[in-house]
Amino acid sequence: MSTLPAFGACLHENSKRIETREDCGSWPSTHQLLRLFNLFIDQLHNLKSSGVQCILLPISSNGTLLPQLISGSIFLTFDVSWHSPLSTSHNTLSATLIQLGVDSRQQFCLKSMPSMERLPLQYTVCVAHNVKAAHQEATQQLSELSRELPNMKTLWLPFWKFLTNVDTGPKMERELRTFSNRLKRHQLGEGVISLNEHSTNLLSEMDHDYLNSRKRGMSKRLTRDLPLVKLLNISITLSPFLGVDTTQFHTSLTDGTEDYWLSLPSATQGKLIPVMSQWRGKFCVKLNLTNPVAVSWFLDRVESLQAHLGMEYIVLDGGEGNLFEEQALRPPLALSGDKYIELLADLATTIGDSTIMTAGTRSSHKPVFVKMAPLQSDWSLMGLKAIIPSLLHHALVGYNFLIPDAVGGSLSGDLVTDRELFIRWLEIAAFLPVISFHTPPWVFGQDQVLNLTWIYITKHQRDVVPLIEKYAEEWQLTGNPIYRPLWWLSPSDPVTFTTDDQFLIGDEVLVAPVLEKGAVQRDIYLPDGGFQWQDSRSEQVFDGGTFLQDYPVPLEEVAVFLRRS
């Protein structure tokens, strides 16, 4: 788990800054504590750091914040009303866990005062005797809505991104047939073929009944192409954007439906003027989700596409950001901050429980999937090493049903060429909620990669999905994450606080993948809690609290340990 260095901090009554020194005086009052966090969050914003998971602030029993981690600590979590959502397309700052070393066993929550409602930062502070208890207390205090499961059948299906440069619907259908046949030939056919927004538009513009009017002498190949798309299991991609060069947009300016798009009244006549933005390199307007008629129009479009293409899965892209604030415009109250993405989550829920979003805020209880950020195709902290911190970040703030980035990374849009990277990434992906691919395994031209792909897809379906389904029931009841950091089982062990290259599925499976290029061994820490751990490959048993140095993990394997009583 990524951390910032622990540091001392003092809050002075007449000061608007946090001073980092060792002797800060007495324990602050509740009012001072709230001010401290207000100032502290301001400093976090100034850091402009992404992926921060855990901020350690040790405080001694007399109120002094110390620059080193101390034992006998209590832990504190706080929920902040950030202006930007949890977004897979933007860097996010999540200060979710704060450690305080005070001599207390209480669990309680502090909330910002009503007089502070006009301030940009609103928060709730929850304190408990260890980090796990703090998380559970925060979940209990802050989760007021019932949690719903998305379509769990999705977990069983790998997602295959369809890459094409064609410019017509018929060509698209032919390439889809070729791609689908190749998946079947390699025994990889049971999955979802993912279409981007361009491919979706090409297919949606096709008239699938055009062959009905052709003469009876048409070829059998064309006859077979007619129902092809409906026979395939595909996902389509939609966004709330509409190009300003489209007939529909021009029509809306003359038929009184310009309020379908995010707009502002003109300064002179008060007439609504749609706010223009860019999306995928084109000038566009954005759907006004506060207009029920516009939302109904969008839902009608989705229903038409479902009838037209027969798809089950829909990716809603482009919800991130605030169109008004990005252009230094004052947004309507209903669309301030990150409210647009919240409304988009409501729309996704209405579409169905197989909907996938690329961003989310205050929507972890809804029955939708969230697509994680695309990563670099390398071994860095922006590539392979980012998977586990990002996974735990999403899970700890409530998002467990995730579509991870494709095996090997997809940020550049290019196919992965590093075979070892592809294999090591595949080994992690097998233990995530869904396996997705941008680079098809046959591009390496080796049976080894194809065989491993089949093996790990099978392992995911046989071993991992049932485990996720089991702990999904626990998440529904308690809010406990399905994917857990090591400190979940050993919340008083400082070693677990900084471990960001291992993770747990529930309380019973520990996954420790290899993240270094060329490595065939790695160090592994097995958390303590009065139980033992058994290597799933060798069946060797180790006591909890054991540090395994240079533990062998061959290229085709991933280290997995099963908890034993």
Side-chain angles (χ1 to χ4, degrees):
M1 179 175 295
S2 302
T3 66
L4 286 180
F7 58 87
C10 303
L11 173 69
H12 294 282
E13 185 62 31
N14 298 319
S15 174
K16 292 188 177 180
R17 70 182 189 280
I18 299 177
E19 180 178 329
T20 57
R21 63 189 182 89
E22 201 167 305
D23 182 15
C24 299
S26 60
W27 171 251
S29 65
T30 298
H31 175 71
Q32 288 175 318
L33 184 61
L34 292 175
R35 282 189 57 211
L36 171 61
F37 282 106
N38 209 346
L39 296 176
F40 183 67
I41 294 301
D42 287 342
Q43 289 200 355
L44 288 181
H45 278 299
N46 292 335
L47 288 173
K48 298 187 184 300
S49 173
S50 64
V52 176
Q53 291 273 104
C54 182
I55 313 300
L56 303 179
L57 284 172
I59 303 179
S60 70
S61 57
N62 67 359
T64 303
L65 283 89
L66 302 175
Q68 73 271 8
L69 190 63
I70 59 177
S71 60
S73 303
I74 67 166
F75 290 76
L76 179 150
T77 73
F78 62 98
D79 173 67
V80 181
S81 297
W82 300 98
H83 281 292
S84 58
L86 182 156
S87 165
T88 58
S89 296
H90 293 80
N91 287 337
T92 58
L93 180 64
S94 175
T96 55
L97 302 169
I98 294 185
Q99 181 180 23
L100 300 174
V102 294
D103 297 330
S104 171
R105 295 298 177 186
Q106 294 179 317
Q107 295 182 193
F108 59 90
C109 289
L110 304 173
K111 291 190 177 183
S112 49
M113 306 301 290
S115 61
M116 301 172 68
E117 287 180 358
R118 293 183 178 274
L119 296 178
L121 174 68
Q122 297 294 309
Y123 50 77
T124 301
V125 178
C126 297
V127 179
H129 67 278
N130 66 46
V131 63
K132 178 181 177 181
H135 183 276
Q136 292 176 319
E137 180 72 12
T139 300
Q140 181 180 348
Q141 293 284 342
L142 302 174
S143 300
E144 300 176 355
L145 301 172
S146 60
R147 289 171 282 270
E148 299 181 66
L149 296 176
N151 181 3
M152 300 297 281
K153 184 180 72 173
T154 309
L155 304 176
W156 294 83
L157 303 172
F159 277 63
W160 301 91
K161 188 169 184 178
F162 179 62
L163 304 174
T164 183
N165 294 316
V166 301
D167 54 2
T168 68
K171 290 180 181 178
M172 172 75 62
E173 279 199 314
R174 286 195 291 272
E175 291 208 6
L176 269 174
R177 173 181 291 279
T178 300
F179 186 71
S180 173
N181 287 340
R182 194 155 194 180
L183 287 172
K184 292 176 181 177
R185 187 162 67 248
H186 294 299
Q187 300 182 356
L188 301 171
E190 295 297 325
V192 179
I193 299 177
S194 301
L195 308 183
N196 61 20
E197 192 171 9
H198 173 69
S199 298
T200 299
N201 290 336
L202 286 179
L203 286 181
S204 66
E205 291 166 2
M206 284 184 63
D207 180 7
H208 279 257
D209 294 326
Y210 76 101
L211 291 176
N212 292 338
S213 62
R214 294 178 60 111
K215 57 186 179 181
R216 295 178 60 186
M218 63 184 176
S219 70
K220 292 183 178 180
R221 180 181 61 81
L222 287 177
T223 304
R224 288 196 302 269
D225 279 348
L226 177 60
L228 171 64
V229 176
K230 285 191 175 183
L231 291 176
L232 297 178
N233 194 4
I234 66 170
S235 72
I236 65 169
T237 302
L238 301 175
S239 78
F241 291 95
L242 180 72
V244 298
D245 58 348
T246 59
T247 301
Q248 182 175 359
F249 173 67
H250 288 280
T251 302
S252 71
L253 298 179
T254 59
D255 67 2
T257 58
E258 64 271 13
D259 60 348
Y260 275 31
W261 324 114
L262 296 181
S263 308
L264 287 175
S266 65
T268 54
Q269 301 177 349
K271 181 178 175 62
L272 287 178
I273 306 297
V275 178
M276 194 178 301
S277 62
Q278 283 198 340
W279 175 248
R280 305 298 188 209
K282 296 183 178 181
F283 288 105
C284 297
V285 289
K286 197 171 187 179
L287 186 69
N288 181 7
L289 293 178
T290 65
N291 182 346
V293 181
V295 171
S296 294
W297 165 81
F298 189 87
L299 291 172
D300 287 343
R301 181 189 174 201
V302 171
E303 185 177 350
S304 175
L305 286 171
Q306 286 175 325
H308 194 53
L309 304 177
M311 79 289 172
E312 182 174 3
Y313 299 95
I314 297 174
V315 178
L316 283 185
D317 199 0
E320 304 87 338
N322 187 301
L323 186 65
F324 299 98
E325 294 174 358
E326 289 168 359
Q327 302 183 39
L329 300 171
R330 182 182 295 274
L333 184 61
L335 291 169
S336 62
D338 54 14
K339 291 181 180 177
Y340 190 92
I341 189 61
E342 196 170 356
L343 293 172
L344 194 64
D346 293 336
L347 178 63
T349 303
T350 303
I351 292 173
D353 61 4
S354 297
T355 309
I356 301 165
M357 299 185 65
T358 57
T361 181
R362 293 182 293 277
S363 58
S364 61
H365 62 286
K366 294 182 180 296
V368 296
F369 287 86
V370 171
K371 197 172 183 180
M372 295 174 69
L375 300 173
Q376 294 177 183
S377 299
D378 57 33
W379 301 80
S380 73
L381 291 171
M382 299 299 290
L384 182 69
K385 291 185 179 69
I387 297 175
I388 297 175
S390 181
L391 171 72
L392 296 177
H393 164 75
H394 282 78
L396 286 171
V397 296
Y399 291 88
N400 290 275
F401 303 100
L402 305 164
I403 307 293
D405 190 29
V407 172
S410 68
L411 183 61
S412 69
D414 299 327
L415 297 181
V416 179
T417 57
D418 186 335
R419 183 182 69 91
E420 182 187 0
L421 177 69
F422 185 92
I423 292 173
R424 288 303 192 190
W425 205 303
L426 173 66
E427 291 167 357
I428 302 178
F431 294 89
L432 303 183
V434 173
I435 306 179
S436 61
F437 294 89
H438 175 87
T439 301
W442 55 76
V443 302
F444 296 97
Q446 296 180 352
D447 289 342
Q448 179 202 30
V449 178
L450 277 167
N451 291 338
L452 283 174
T453 301
W454 184 86
I455 287 171
Y456 276 105
I457 288 176
T458 302
K459 184 176 185 63
H460 173 82
Q461 295 168 337
R462 184 191 65 226
D463 300 333
V464 179
V465 173
L467 201 59
I468 295 174
E469 291 175 331
K470 171 183 175 179
Y471 283 98
E473 296 180 5
E474 180 181 324
W475 170 78
Q476 272 195 294
L477 294 173
T478 66
N480 290 343
I482 296 172
Y483 289 91
R484 302 169 182 179
L486 298 196
W487 52 252
W488 194 267
L489 288 182
S490 191
S492 299
D493 184 351
V495 176
T496 65
F497 302 156
T498 56
T499 302
D500 62 356
D501 58 358
Q502 303 174 210
F503 63 92
L504 301 166
I505 305 178
D507 283 348
E508 56 191 281
V509 173
L510 184 150
V511 184
V514 170
L515 304 177
E516 299 293 340
K517 184 175 179 61
V520 289
Q521 72 283 316
R522 60 154 295 166
D523 296 340
I524 299 173
Y525 184 70
L526 304 175
D528 195 8
F531 41 75
Q532 294 179 314
W533 294 95
Q534 184 179 50
D535 186 323
S536 63
R537 292 179 296 129
S538 68
E539 298 187 351
Q540 188 174 359
V541 176
F542 302 92
D543 291 332
T546 300
F547 181 78
L548 304 176
Q549 190 170 11
D550 294 334
Y551 198 73
V553 187
L555 176 59
E556 298 185 0
E557 300 286 351
V558 57
V560 179
F561 293 83
L562 310 178
R563 177 179 162 180
R564 295 288 179 256
S565 300

